[in-house]
């Protein structure tokens, strides 16, 4: 009997966390083997990062992907892709171009076994407001999303708040269209309660500017639309506590509301380009997640 | 596997054409977490021992196909992946002398998911490495 009960979040890892190793000390197989070895069952890839020959991988590459997913008993949990609206200087992509970009990724995601997509849209201001025509091309793509059995999820990422115009707009769109093929990915950076002192970052690091954050309970009304979460983390202490984000409360809230999607580890702390550092951090985070999930 | 540095030692060589040395090549890898379309790239500059090259003095070769820097902006159909080093070919009559060279490569790229004011902020820094030409 599987220990995994109904209504509980599951553990996954984004290959983003291993960016410093990928192609340098780790192959795709090494990264998937590492995820398996920490007992996580879900993997997020970034399509144009981890699919060799993107957007036209060879049949041989795709067959090898199937083999690896099978060998390491992983679920393709989230497929990260982009609608790069500023692809050409001086203009934004048209709705038709954006639509075509989406469909290309739906087909690949479907072939690789992914059902949830982290759909990153281009933004037009410092508040990360998505491009003006997002409703148009997302609506155009809904029938194809249904056909290819995928859910597009823009990521709600700091400095965006869960109670904000942007999130209200997404929810209104979901309710108006009644679609099950567009939802949200909540990045736990939105819940940050402590800021890591600047002195702890490596020289030259990109540090997120200070911003307001959301209380954990603000996720509750959104949960029906949340198909995946980015378990963003910045620093694991040596006693396995994340020092900037209230993980205990987040995980407890998700369990109480029977949310059973994937928590996808995304390490975005200091020294993430230091060989081996992020790999250790992910391991530490999974010690914590395993405990909080009662596995 | 690739070398950790953006600038790879492997592939650093002079280029010969019709029996004459017409330039040199440097392989670079994309130190980022996702690949890029060529139209998202901004033209590179290469500086070797204080001499700077730019514009159409440099070509990019991706997966065996060579592009002029002035055509990058239109190539939204060609993708540069993380595991595929790009070869920069720099025109310089006579090439470089065998021995040690201080090499700097600088290029930027657009990230549509960042605020427009920060469009090319990610990864926008010079890469420097001492290379040995044999």
């Amino acid at each position: 009997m599987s220990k995994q009960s109904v209504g509980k979040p599951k553990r996954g890892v984004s290959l983003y966390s291993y960016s410093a190793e990928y192609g340098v000390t780790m192959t795709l197989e090494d990264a998937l083997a590492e995820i398996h070895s920490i007992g996580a069952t879900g993997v997020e890839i970034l399509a144009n990062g981890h699919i060799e020959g993107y957007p036209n991988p060879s049949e041989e590459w795709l067959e090898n992907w199937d083999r690896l997913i099978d060998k390491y008993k992983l679920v393709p949990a989230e497929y990260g892709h982009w609608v790069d609206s500023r692809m050409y200087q001086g203009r934004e992509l048209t709705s038709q171009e954006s639509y075509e970009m989406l469909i290309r990724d739906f087909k690949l995601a479907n072939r690789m076994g992914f059902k949830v997509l982290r759909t990153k849209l281009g933004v037009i201001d410092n508040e990360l407001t998505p491009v003006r025509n997002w409703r148009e091309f997302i609506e155009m793509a809904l029938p194809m999303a249904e056909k290819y059995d995928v859910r597009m999820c823009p990521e709600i990422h700091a400095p965006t708040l869960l109670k904000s115009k942007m999130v209200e707009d997404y929810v209104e769109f979901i309710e108006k269209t009644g679609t099950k093929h567009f939802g949200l990915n909540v990045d736990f950076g939105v819940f940050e309660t402590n800021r890591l002192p600047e002195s702890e970052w490596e020289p030259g690091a990109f540090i997120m500017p200070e911003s307001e954050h959301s209380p954990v309970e603000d996720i509750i009304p959104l949960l029906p639309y949340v198909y995946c979460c980015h378990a963003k983390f910045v620093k694991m202490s040596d006693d396995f506590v994340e020092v900037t984000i209230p993980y205990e409360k987040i995980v407890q809230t998700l369990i109480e509301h029977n949310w059973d999607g994937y928590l996808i580890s995304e390490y975005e702390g200091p020294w993430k380009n230091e060989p081996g550092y992020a790999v250790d951090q992910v391991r530490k985070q999974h010690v914590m997640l395993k405990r909080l999930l009662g596995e | 596997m690739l070398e950790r540095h953006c600038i790879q030692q492997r592939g650093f060589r002079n280029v010969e054409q019709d029996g004459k040395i017409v330039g040199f090549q440097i392989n670079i890898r994309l130190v980022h977490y996702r690949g890029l379309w060529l139209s998202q790239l901004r033209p590179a500059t290469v500086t070797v021992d204080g001499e700077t090259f730019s514009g159409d003095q440099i070509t990019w070769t991706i997966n065996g196909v060579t592009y002029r820097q002035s055509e990058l902006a239109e190539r939204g159909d060609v993708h540069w992946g993380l595991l595929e080093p790009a070869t920069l070919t720099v025109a310089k009559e006579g090439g470089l002398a065998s021995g040690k060279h201080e090499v700097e490569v600088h290029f930027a790229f657009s990230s549509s998911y960042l605020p427009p004011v920060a469009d090319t902020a990610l990864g926008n820094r010079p890469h420097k490495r001492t290379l040995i030409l044999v």
Side-chain angles (χ1 to χ4, degrees):
Chain A
M1 185 72 190
S2 160
K3 270 208 306 189
Q4 194 180 299
S5 57
V6 180
K8 210 187 243 188
K10 302 180 276 273
R11 290 189 285 128
V13 179
S14 174
L15 294 190
Y16 174 87
S17 296
Y18 305 138
S19 294
E21 314 294 336
Y22 180 67
V24 178
T25 64
M26 268 186 175
T27 61
L28 177 65
E29 173 154 7
D30 294 331
L32 298 180
E34 170 65 13
I35 295 173
H36 175 64
S37 90
I38 61 175
T41 56
V43 56
E44 178 192 70
I45 64 153
L46 305 173
N48 57 352
H50 305 111
I51 300 174
E52 251 182 278
Y54 178 88
N56 303 304
S58 63
E59 196 46 45
E60 191 188 350
W61 189 90
L62 289 166
E63 280 166 17
N64 188 48
W65 167 260
D66 297 338
R67 182 185 68 81
L68 295 175
I69 286 297
D70 192 48
K71 179 174 177 186
Y72 297 107
K73 300 177 179 62
L74 294 173
V75 172
E78 192 171 48
Y79 177 101
H81 69 127
W82 281 259
V83 180
D84 277 303
S85 56
R86 295 196 294 265
M87 179 99 152
Y88 299 102
Q89 289 175 67
R91 70 174 185 92
E92 275 179 1
L93 287 189
T94 64
S95 292
Q96 183 62 27
E97 288 171 318
S98 307
Y99 167 83
E100 284 164 12
M101 216 174 260
L102 286 172
I103 307 309
R104 184 171 63 200
D105 282 308
F106 290 179
K107 291 178 182 170
L108 254 178
N110 174 273
R111 166 62 187 85
M112 292 173 70
F114 290 94
K115 293 179 186 299
V116 178
L117 317 180
R118 195 291 327 266
T119 303
K120 200 92 170 165
L121 303 173
V123 311
I124 55 169
D125 58 27
N126 292 351
E127 283 67 53
L128 309 182
T129 305
V131 287
R132 290 169 195 87
N133 58 343
W134 71 266
R135 285 181 188 79
E136 191 180 5
F137 62 77
I138 295 290
E139 201 161 352
M140 282 163 73
L142 289 178
M144 291 296 259
E146 195 176 336
K147 179 179 173 189
Y148 288 102
D149 192 22
V150 290
R151 283 128 210 93
M152 293 173 270
C153 300
E155 181 180 17
I156 311 305
H157 192 288
T160 304
L161 297 173
L162 294 185
K163 278 189 178 157
S164 60
K165 172 85 166 61
M166 188 197 300
V167 175
E168 276 170 27
D169 285 352
Y170 287 145
V171 169
E172 189 194 291
F173 177 85
I174 296 165
E175 290 178 346
K176 201 190 91 197
T177 56
T179 185
K180 296 280 179 220
H181 296 275
F182 185 80
L184 304 172
N185 167 322
V186 174
D187 179 286
F188 291 167
V190 300
F191 300 125
E192 187 184 284
T193 45
N194 296 308
R195 194 171 160 79
L196 199 65
E198 251 173 64
S199 57
E200 294 209 26
W201 290 87
E202 76 275 19
F206 173 78
I207 304 174
M208 279 287 288
E210 265 189 87
S211 65
E212 223 187 305
H213 292 88
S214 297
V216 173
E217 49 272 24
D218 283 359
I219 199 174
I220 298 169
L222 300 173
L223 286 176
Y225 313 121
V226 176
Y227 293 116
C228 204
C229 286
H230 267 165
K232 163 69 51 65
F233 68 114
V234 176
K235 184 185 177 179
M236 291 301 304
S237 69
D238 285 336
D239 49 356
F240 309 109
V241 174
E242 210 293 334
V243 303
T244 70
I245 293 164
Y247 262 92
E248 190 158 350
K249 191 163 182 194
I250 296 169
V251 173
Q252 210 172 25
T253 302
L254 295 175
I255 292 174
E256 275 167 18
H257 291 83
N258 299 316
W259 188 82
D260 61 357
Y262 269 100
L263 303 177
I264 303 280
S265 292
E266 198 183 58
Y267 179 63
E268 212 158 51
W271 305 106
K272 68 176 183 296
N273 296 318
E274 193 68 14
Y277 197 90
V279 181
D280 280 5
Q281 284 284 311
V282 172
R283 286 193 158 252
K284 287 180 179 174
Q285 191 205 25
H286 279 254
V287 171
M288 173 187 75
L289 290 174
K290 207 174 154 185
R291 175 174 56 80
L292 294 178
L293 291 165
E295 283 181 23
Chain B
M1 293 277 185
L2 299 169
E3 296 163 61
R4 184 166 292 278
H5 205 288
C6 163
I7 301 174
Q8 309 281 296
Q9 284 274 11
R10 205 177 308 143
F12 183 43
R13 63 183 192 95
N14 279 325
V15 184
E16 215 180 280
Q17 205 181 331
D18 305 325
K20 274 199 329 213
I21 292 177
V22 294
F24 60 93
Q25 285 184 336
I26 300 165
N27 283 346
I28 57 172
R29 77 171 179 106
L30 182 54
V31 183
H32 195 32
Y33 66 91
R34 64 167 185 147
L36 296 171
W37 299 99
L38 298 196
S39 60
Q40 293 175 294
L41 288 172
R42 300 295 176 263
T45 57
V46 173
T47 303
V48 179
D49 307 323
E51 187 181 357
T52 298
F53 306 86
S54 63
D56 278 341
Q57 290 175 295
I58 302 170
T59 61
W60 290 66
T61 304
I62 310 268
N63 271 326
V65 182
T66 300
Y67 306 91
R68 280 176 290 112
Q69 292 220 91
S70 52
E71 67 180 306
L72 293 178
E74 297 140 36
R75 300 312 301 253
D77 57 337
V78 180
H79 191 258
W80 180 23
L82 299 181
L83 302 182
E84 307 150 10
T87 302
L88 301 181
T89 303
V90 181
K92 179 180 165 62
E93 221 174 284
L96 299 172
S98 188
K100 198 163 93 167
H101 297 280
E102 300 303 327
V103 175
E104 184 177 316
V105 175
H106 191 174
F107 65 94
F109 54 85
S110 158
S111 300
S112 305
Y113 59 92
L114 293 183
V117 290
D119 185 45
T120 58
L122 261 191
N124 194 346
R125 62 187 172 87
H127 301 274
K128 296 178 189 184
R129 192 173 181 187
T130 303
L131 295 185
I132 310 290
L133 186 75
V134 177

